[in-house]
Amino acid sequence: MNEMDNKWIGKNTIRPDGADKVTGRAEYAADTIMPGMIWGKVLRSPHPHATIKSINTKKAEELDGVFSVATSADCVDFPVDTPVILGIQDIRWMARNVLAKEKVLFHGHPIAAVAARTEEIAEKACELIEVEYDIHPWAIEIDDALKPDAPILHDFIKFDGKPSNIAGTLEHKKGDIEEGFKEADIIIEREFETAAVHQGYLETHACLVSVSPDDRTIIWSSSQGQFMVRAMTSFITGIPQSSIRAIPAEIGGGFGGKTIVYLEPVATILSKKSGRPVKMVMTREEVMRASGPTSGSKSKVKIGAKNNGEITAAQGTFYLQAGAFPGAPIRGAAGCCLAPYDIPNAHTLGYDVVSNRSKVAAYRAPGAPIGAYAVECVLDEVAEALKMCPLEFRLKNAAKEGTKAVHGPTYPVMGYVETLEACLSHPHYKAPLKKLQGRGYASGFWFNAGGESSAQVNITEDGNVVVTTGHPDIGGSRASIANITAELLGIDVNRVSVLIGDTATIGFSNLTGGSRVLFASALVVTESTNQVIDILKDRASKIWNIEKEAIEWENGEARPAGDNAGKFKPLSLVELAEQATPTGGPIGAGHQVNTVGAEGGFATHICDVEVDIELGIARVIRYTAAQDVGKAIHPAYVEGQLQGGVVQGIGWALNEEYIYNKEGKLDNPGFLDYRIPVCSDLPMIDTILVEVPNPQHPQGVRGVGEVPIVPPLSAIANAIYNAIGTRFYSLPMSPPKVLEKISD
Amino acid sequence: MSEVKFISPETIEQAVDAYSKSSKEGKTKILAGGTDLLVQIRSGISQPDTIIDIKNIKELKEISNDNGSYTIGAAVAGAVLDEEEDFGNNWPGVLEALRLIGSEQIQGRASLGGNLCNASPAGDSVPALIASGATVKLQGPEGERNMPIESFHVGPGKTNLKNGEIVVNFQFPKKQKHSGDAYLRMIPRTEMDIAVVGCAVNVTIENDKCVDARVALGAVAPTALLVEDASKALIGSNFEKEAVEKAALACEAACNPIDDKRGTISYRKKVSKVLFKRALEKAIERAKRG
Ligand SMILES: Cc1cc2nc3c(=O)[nH]c(=O)nc-3n(C[C@H](O)[C@H](O)[C@H](O)COP(=O)(O)OP(=O)(O)OC[C@H]3O[C@@H](n4cnc5c(N)ncnc54)[C@H](O)[C@@H]3O)c2cc1C
């Protein structure tokens, strides 16, 4: 497809879901109601760590207005020693996270749930549930969980042959690091810490579930994957997937945090037991206490380089909090941290550490910002020691097509170097700075993903188009799909309507995550649309009575391919639709496949800060994010992804943190004391969309949504150093921490 | 929340009558803008069975200016006061404190009376009110009384209001010639946050000399504080370095903060000095202008 001729791809078309959202019509999960509906509420653990000796729900059941009560006894039993893998999750853990079984493992851990006529009655009934605990000591921080005498969360987890809170490790090796460090003229080694941070989606978890007497179940919920909801609910409740219809609601933010279930299986059990539709909506406090943040971490990184700027060796060790159950994103930390560089000798190692915190959930490039933070800060110090510009230093060591990455693959065409060059030639790079202002740089990488996708493209009787895909639209994917379909069919984009199907109306589609949605759904939509075009040609061939091969599809109409084909007036999509019935029936096609060929994404960021050294406040005053986006199908939404990722990174770097009190309870479960950035904290985030098309994709698409959260943590830390000459090795760089360190 | 009785009296007497009859167990609550109360009800901290809305009482919604002395009704919303042009010329520090409360939406409701009676040590308007020298008029079953702002609070969430007593209005002294006030707070973000330290300064200058000064701090002790030692250090000085430093040290010494998720003791102490100096500079500049 010739770029210059593109009519819709690369254009900022109007978002199909926009009007509904700005007029308040869009239906979110909490908006859904049903006749006879009752309300579910959850009883949560008051202790960070305890064995559940008994649960007595009798008094709750007897309370007037209560319809049903659920505990883990109502769930399918998954023995702790048998893994039940679903994607990157293990249903053993998921079931126990949804309703605690043997033990409560964090303050806020769900123990039981009640469905009642009103939320208030359900809450009151929860208080009537009697739970007998055997309370244990707890461990919140990584150091506490790794101490020799640490309280052990799961007896059956062993490390080095002994019960341990280390649930697993992951390692990447390349070359010989000992040799590599010997070759180095300069070696820098540093230790880092980051706090656990929450995804901060504005819409809290919510669902409405209705189970019929024959177990047929309908779930309306806010998630990043209706098929994930169906599968997990099926596992935990034992209702077969074929009996569950999961309907995706509009979603008010997820950022990875809605790739698992919290409420749906519970509401399903409550509905099944009561015979009533059950609605559940979490409060913000419940979201903060019991839904996944991403890991806090501790890490150590060592990098060696020659005087000429060549990196000879790199080593990184990363400990990541998993929360109560195994599954910290160590792959993102250990796998992505060195990915932008061509390093001959390297070793990265990640530890998955359980402790008495809520189970972590995916958060935008899970683990990658943690790894990159440590590596990119050390690189800044190495560049300084070598008296090199940090960007030139990165350019010298940049990975290119053909580089063998530390995490395994040999790179195909990729645009990391282009992001560095774009930054070097951007006016921001040379802009003057005032006193107490500083500039920092950092790069980042994310794997991106392919996976299962399904699509159906149907031509309506009036010659318009309905496209159905199976992925909740979080970042504007419907608009991009409309652009692509309109481009392929050669019709106005407003004639294409894009919908998200539920689990009964479209084939299996993996969840919205890993920056995979546009990559994967564009592939299946392109294939389906091409099939539709083929059918349209076939219909024209019947009408004209010529060979299908003698027909071409251009500008939204079938035309004879040349003079030899005969002289016929072109047939438009509308005309062909009108004649659909006599020429063979409905026109439409679908495609479903496990997509492959998603290639990684790279970014380089420039950040300016200004530091108030008397108050310890660092403010970001200018920010430019350059990223290889493959091909920006809808540039405004690509830009929005970059800006959003950067903003979340700024929050992570400066103020966001999970703070626990002495009792092992989260002390800041709300947006007053858990400080995500507000508008006035931020400058305009400028973006540079570098387009190095993914050769394995018909439109050149690469995932774009996760890379932008990877560089900001270190870009900001490096900028603060540049401004005031103090290096910070611990996040967040909040005012009390900053002031304390600079007044020392 | 279960059923709640909502009353909306039109006179102070009716309000006081209803309040004093039922306020014993904290089950009756006064409602002004509701920006504190509703949050407390939703989170379960407050569970009233009766709510008395005071926004229909004329006197509590009035702003009057008697020859330069302002009286501001306790339930006047911040945004309404903001539109009262001359008030901001007289008390820019009080107004800037009020403007810091929440957001545009919050300011459409939030009142000075609510900010005071909520008795958060971090309430933004309180230090500015103390520095201004304003007093409050209270009315209860036993009649009216007046009180300086700095005597109003007992501790976090606790006031000197007696059973059945409500705040009627705030009375500001006549602004002195060549005086100026200012309020600054430290928050980690730029807005929608809670003060880690707040500092208000009000100075009067004659022939380059400080003839009067009131300094108040918020969020550094169980209640907002009038720092009299800081006033003493400034009065009679030319704001020379030593005097300012002495006053700043007095601020630091007055702090009796806690270590919490919002800031450490040492951070709050350091910041109180910095904010004092910055607020003083602003107040001096304003005082010199008029
Ligand atoms: C999003 C948000 C942001 C906020 N930001 C800030 C901020 O930056 N700084 C800050 O200081 N505050 C802030 N607040 C708190 C609140 O807005 C202020 O304290 C406000 O001034 C309260 O005024 P109100 O009229 O809404 O009080 P209400 O909620 O109506 O009342 C507060 C309390 O005072 C009592 N009360 C009210 N009036 C009287 C009276 N006349 N006599 C006796 N008792 C009375 C009530 O019973 C209640 O206990 C914020 C609140 C929200 C929701």
Side-chain angles (χ1 to χ4, degrees):
Chain A
M1 197 174 291
N2 185 344
E3 292 261 321
M4 306 307 282
D5 297 339
N6 279 350
K7 223 171 149 198
W8 303 111
I9 290 180
K11 298 292 176 331
N12 291 328
T13 51
I14 290 175
R15 175 171 197 138
D17 47 316
D20 273 358
K21 283 183 176 157
V22 298
T23 56
R25 280 186 179 80
E27 250 190 53
Y28 294 87
D31 296 328
T32 323
I33 46 173
M34 264 187 101
M37 182 179 95
I38 56 175
W39 287 85
K41 273 280 160 197
V42 172
L43 172 71
R44 295 176 183 278
S45 170
H47 307 296
H49 192 192
T51 298
I52 301 172
K53 287 165 71 183
S54 68
I55 304 177
N56 185 345
T57 59
K58 194 160 175 288
K59 285 185 190 150
E61 280 159 34
E62 283 166 4
L63 185 71
D64 192 34
V66 169
F67 285 82
S68 56
V69 178
T71 65
S72 65
D74 298 300
C75 300
V76 174
D77 182 27
F78 295 97
V80 287
D81 51 6
T82 316
V84 184
I85 302 301
L86 182 75
I88 59 166
Q89 301 296 338
D90 187 325
I91 297 296
R92 274 182 298 172
W93 313 140
M94 195 54 58
R96 284 170 173 79
N97 196 50
V98 162
L99 282 170
K101 203 170 165 72
E102 300 84 0
K103 268 178 155 187
V104 288
L105 292 157
F106 59 94
H107 174 255
H109 196 161
I111 299 166
V114 176
R117 203 172 55 237
T118 66
E119 263 184 298
E120 290 74 27
I121 299 172
E123 253 162 35
K124 217 173 262 166
C126 282
E127 288 165 20
L128 295 175
I129 296 174
E130 293 161 346
V131 188
E132 253 191 297
Y133 297 100
D134 185 4
I135 298 169
H136 307 306
W138 61 88
I140 302 288
E141 303 303 335
I142 291 172
D143 283 346
D144 299 329
L146 296 184
K147 277 197 306 225
D149 58 344
I152 297 295
L153 272 73
H154 307 281
D155 301 329
F156 50 90
I157 293 179
K158 302 248 169 20
F159 188 76
D160 272 349
K162 290 192 291 277
S164 169
N165 290 321
I166 296 178
T169 59
L170 181 140
E171 205 168 5
H172 294 292
K173 278 183 178 161
K174 184 184 168 190
D176 179 339
I177 53 161
E178 313 238 311
E179 282 305 312
F181 282 119
K182 271 188 208 152
E183 284 171 40
D185 296 310
I186 160 155
I187 296 174
I188 289 180
E189 180 171 13
R190 298 283 181 258
E191 289 182 25
F192 299 85
E193 271 177 15
T194 67
V197 294
H198 198 270
Q199 295 80 348
Y201 32 84
L202 288 187
E203 180 203 27
T204 65
H205 296 270
C207 70
L208 171 63
V209 180
S210 176
V211 184
S212 308
D214 60 359
D215 273 5
R216 274 181 303 132
T217 302
I218 305 183
I219 303 174
W220 289 265
S221 79
S222 170
S223 81
Q224 288 177 239
Q226 62 277 43
F227 292 90
M228 173 279 296
V229 168
R230 182 178 75 175
M232 289 192 178
T233 305
S234 168
F235 268 109
I236 294 171
T237 63
I239 299 172
Q241 291 191 18
S242 54
S243 291
I244 300 176
R245 180 173 174 195
I247 301 174
E250 285 293 341
I251 174 167
F255 310 107
K258 291 177 183 165
T259 54
I260 56 178
V261 291
Y262 296 96
L263 300 176
E264 291 89 339
V266 180
T268 301
I269 293 167
L270 289 171
S271 174
K272 187 176 160 163
K273 288 178 91 170
S274 64
R276 297 277 203 121
V278 174
K279 180 165 175 166
M280 298 182 82
V281 180
M282 277 198 201
T283 62
R284 175 68 50 199
E285 186 175 335
E286 288 179 293
V287 168
M288 297 303 287
R289 288 199 192 286
S291 77
T294 193
S295 316
S297 70
K298 281 175 74 82
S299 52
K300 190 190 251 187
V301 163
K302 179 175 170 185
I303 293 175
K306 290 189 192 160
N307 285 330
N308 69 2
E310 248 173 70
I311 300 174
T312 58
Q315 185 176 27
T317 311
F318 306 95
Y319 291 87
L320 269 67
Q321 294 161 356
F325 298 100
I330 45 179
R331 179 174 162 261
C336 295
C337 64
L338 298 173
Y341 307 105
D342 186 356
I343 302 177
N345 309 295
H347 175 216
T348 63
L349 171 60
Y351 289 92
D352 183 2
V353 184
V354 293
S355 68
N356 297 107
R357 298 166 163 263
S358 50
K359 172 180 162 46
V360 300
Y363 180 19
R364 239 177 165 146
I370 291 170
Y373 163 58
V375 165
E376 299 288 318
C377 285
V378 173
L379 287 178
D380 200 62
E381 289 196 49
V382 176
E384 185 190 29
L386 296 171
K387 301 195 169 52
M388 280 181 83
C389 155
L391 289 180
E392 297 286 357
F393 174 56
R394 286 176 172 81
L395 198 53
K396 188 164 178 90
N397 293 286
K400 302 176 189 65
E401 184 179 355
T403 300
K404 171 117 176 79
V406 175
H407 66 283
T410 300
Y411 290 128
V413 180
M414 47 94 113
Y416 175 49
V417 165
E418 287 81 350
T419 66
L420 290 166
E421 286 166 345
C423 286
L424 281 164
S425 59
H426 193 275
H428 187 172
Y429 177 65
K430 293 221 168 87
L433 290 166
K434 298 195 187 113
K435 219 179 135 213
L436 299 177
Q437 296 182 346
R439 182 162 298 146
Y441 309 90
S443 294
F445 168 82
W446 176 247
F447 308 113
N448 293 328
E452 303 88 342
S453 261
S454 303
Q456 175 71 31
V457 176
N458 288 332
I459 307 300
T460 56
E461 296 98 291
D462 61 357
N464 292 310
V465 187
V466 175
V467 182
T468 308
T469 69
H471 311 291
D473 172 1
I474 302 195
S477 55
R478 275 169 290 191
S480 298
I481 292 292
N483 284 3
I484 289 171
T485 312
E487 192 76 53
L488 293 169
L489 281 169
I491 59 170
D492 191 283
V493 76
N494 292 314
R495 291 174 59 192
V496 182
S497 167
V498 184
L499 306 174
I500 317 296
D502 64 58
T503 55
T505 56
I506 189 73
F508 175 68
S509 300
N510 211 322
L511 45 75
T512 297
S515 298
R516 60 177 296 272
V517 167
L518 191 60
F519 169 82
S521 54
L523 270 169
V524 286
V525 167
T526 300
E527 176 56 31
S528 307
T529 308
N530 286 337
Q531 284 178 28
V532 164
I533 292 171
D534 201 56
I535 296 169
L536 290 164
K537 287 188 203 167
D538 186 54
R539 301 302 170 87
S541 90
K542 284 190 177 137
I543 295 167
W544 290 332
N545 209 5
I546 63 173
E547 294 281 300
K548 188 169 83 179
E549 286 65 37
I551 296 172
E552 59 185 22
W553 185 264
E554 225 184 289
N555 258 337
E557 48 187 33
R559 295 174 182 172
D563 288 344
N564 290 347
K567 287 221 178 311
F568 300 103
K569 199 168 150 280
L571 284 166
S572 70
L573 185 57
V574 171
E575 288 163 335
L576 287 165
E578 267 170 10
Q579 300 195 48
T581 302
T583 56
I587 301 169
H591 189 63
Q592 37 200 2
V593 73
N594 180 30
T595 65
V596 292
E599 290 303 335
F602 293 87
T604 303
H605 292 185
I606 314 179
C607 166
D608 291 357
V609 300
E610 183 170 88
V611 185
D612 181 331
I613 51 168
E614 289 182 322
L615 299 179
I617 300 175
R619 294 234 189 277
V620 176
I621 53 171
R622 185 170 183 184
Y623 206 103
T624 304
Q627 185 174 319
D628 173 12
V629 300
K631 171 75 199 158
I633 303 297
H634 191 297
Y637 296 154
V638 172
E639 203 171 34
Q641 288 296 312
L642 270 53
Q643 291 167 328
V646 169
V647 168
Q648 291 186 309
I650 291 173
W652 195 336
L654 294 181
N655 278 309
E656 292 181 37
E657 64 179 315
Y658 261 44
I659 303 170
Y660 280 81
N661 66 16
K662 289 194 198 82
E663 283 84 50
K665 299 174 189 171
L666 182 65
D667 207 15
N668 57 339
F671 282 149
L672 178 57
D673 287 301
Y674 181 87
R675 294 190 170 80
I676 61 176
V678 296
C679 275
S680 53
D681 295 343
L682 303 163
M684 182 65 193
I685 311 293
D686 292 317
T687 61
I688 310 172
L689 306 185
V690 174
E691 293 188 311
V692 179
N694 176 357
Q696 308 202 61
H697 191 274
Q699 286 85 26
V701 168
R702 290 177 197 270
V704 299
E706 293 174 280
V707 191
I709 199 175
V710 182
L713 282 53
S714 41
I716 295 166
N718 294 339
I720 292 177
Y721 170 70
N722 187 246
I724 60 169
T726 307
R727 291 213 183 257
F728 289 88
Y729 298 106
S730 166
L731 300 185
M733 296 176 284
S734 57
K737 253 157 96 178
V738 169
L739 191 66
E740 188 175 323
K741 184 148 180 181
I742 56 188
S743 19
D744 278 350
Chain B
M1 202 190 350
S2 35
E3 274 173 32
V4 176
K5 192 167 148 200
F6 188 91
I7 45 183
S8 203
E10 288 180 4
T11 67
I12 298 175
E13 289 69 28
Q14 286 167 2
V16 166
D17 190 46
Y19 194 29
S20 54
K21 278 192 186 132
S22 53
S23 74
K24 285 189 189 66
E25 296 132 41
K27 286 279 189 189
T28 298
K29 280 282 179 185
I30 301 287
L31 172 84
T35 59
D36 277 315
L37 187 62
L38 292 187
V39 175
Q40 288 157 6
I41 292 173
R42 265 206 92 165
S43 65
I45 294 171
S46 180
Q47 294 169 326
D49 58 18
T50 308
I51 290 176
I52 304 173
D53 181 5
I54 53 172
K55 289 193 294 296
N56 288 322
I57 304 173
K58 194 164 156 273
E59 216 176 330
L60 272 71
K61 297 280 280 179
E62 261 173 3
I63 301 175
S64 68
N65 179 356
D66 178 14
N67 199 16
S69 298
Y70 273 94
T71 302
I72 310 292
V76 172
V80 174
L81 195 53
D82 205 349
E83 282 172 7
E84 188 74 23
E85 215 173 289
D86 219 37
F87 181 80
N89 292 334
N90 281 274
W91 299 106
V94 175
L95 192 62
E96 70 195 345
L98 201 57
R99 277 184 181 156
L100 287 175
I101 295 180
S103 58
E104 194 117 0
Q105 293 93 319
I106 297 294
Q107 282 173 38
R109 309 284 296 183
S111 65
L112 282 177
N115 200 232
L116 185 76
C117 295
N118 190 56
S120 156
D124 280 306
S125 73
V126 182
L129 288 169
I130 292 176
S132 74
T135 57
V136 268
K137 182 166 114 182
L138 315 176
Q139 189 166 331
E142 287 155 37
E144 280 181 30
R145 56 180 183 138
N146 284 287
M147 191 185 276
I149 306 286
E150 57 269 29
S151 309
F152 187 80
H153 292 122
V154 182
K158 294 206 171 68
T159 70
N160 273 318
L161 283 174
K162 289 187 191 148
N163 189 27
E165 218 170 22
I166 64 168
V167 174
V168 175
N169 58 32
F170 293 83
Q171 297 170 342
F172 289 80
K174 194 170 150 74
K175 181 188 172 299
Q176 298 300 305
K177 210 166 175 230
H178 294 301
S179 72
D181 72 335
Y183 174 75
L184 289 175
R185 69 172 179 181
M186 189 284 155
I187 52 171
R189 288 187 293 205
T190 44
E191 59 179 17
M192 297 306 287
D193 216 326
I194 181 163
V196 178
V197 179
C199 181
V201 177
N202 178 18
V203 291
T204 309
I205 303 175
E206 247 176 60
N207 303 323
D208 289 338
K209 255 199 163 38
C210 176
V211 293
D212 197 7
R214 285 173 72 84
V215 178
L217 289 171
V220 295
T223 68
L225 303 170
L226 175 67
V227 189
E228 293 186 52
D229 286 346
S231 311
K232 279 187 204 142
L234 292 176
I235 294 170
S237 78
N238 298 318
F239 301 111
E240 66 273 7
K241 227 175 146 198
E242 296 71 33
V244 172
E245 196 56 39
K246 201 171 161 199
L249 288 173
C251 287
E252 189 183 18
C255 291
N256 177 20
I258 48 168
D259 262 329
D260 72 357
K261 60 195 169 191
R262 292 174 185 153
T264 56
I265 291 172
S266 82
Y267 183 74
R268 287 188 157 110
K269 288 191 159 206
K270 280 180 204 153
V271 167
S272 68
K273 285 203 298 191
V274 176
L275 284 193
F276 161 71
K277 288 182 188 171
R278 291 183 184 181
L280 175 65
E281 212 168 291
K282 228 169 149 182
I284 292 173
E285 196 191 301
R286 285 173 178 165
K288 284 184 176 161
R289 264 191 268 133

